[in-house]
Amino acid sequence: MNNKEASINKVDELVNRAQLAINDWQCSGDVDCLEKAAAYLRAALLEGEK
């Protein structure tokens, strides 16, 4: 696997984790879940910019 593929896989994983955090928020209403989702999406954005 080359670096670009590894980066895409990492972004995919981070976005998936964000979606899970959003799902948790939808069930619980806990704002901490949205903060986690935002953190995962920020990390995905930074990874995608590499």
Side-chain angles (χ1 to χ4, degrees):
M1 178 182 318
N2 64 35
N3 287 342
K4 183 169 179 112
E5 289 172 338
S7 181
I8 289 170
N9 288 340
K10 186 170 184 180
V11 169
D12 283 345
E13 178 64 25
L14 290 164
V15 171
N16 287 337
R17 288 177 185 245
Q19 183 61 57
L20 291 173
I22 291 167
N23 291 347
D24 289 345
W25 168 76
Q26 288 174 319
C27 293
S28 70
D30 186 355
V31 174
D32 287 341
C33 296
L34 289 179
E35 291 174 358
K36 282 184 186 179
Y40 286 131
L41 291 174
R42 279 191 296 274
L45 178 63
L46 291 173
E47 181 66 31
E49 290 178 340
K50 287 184 179 179

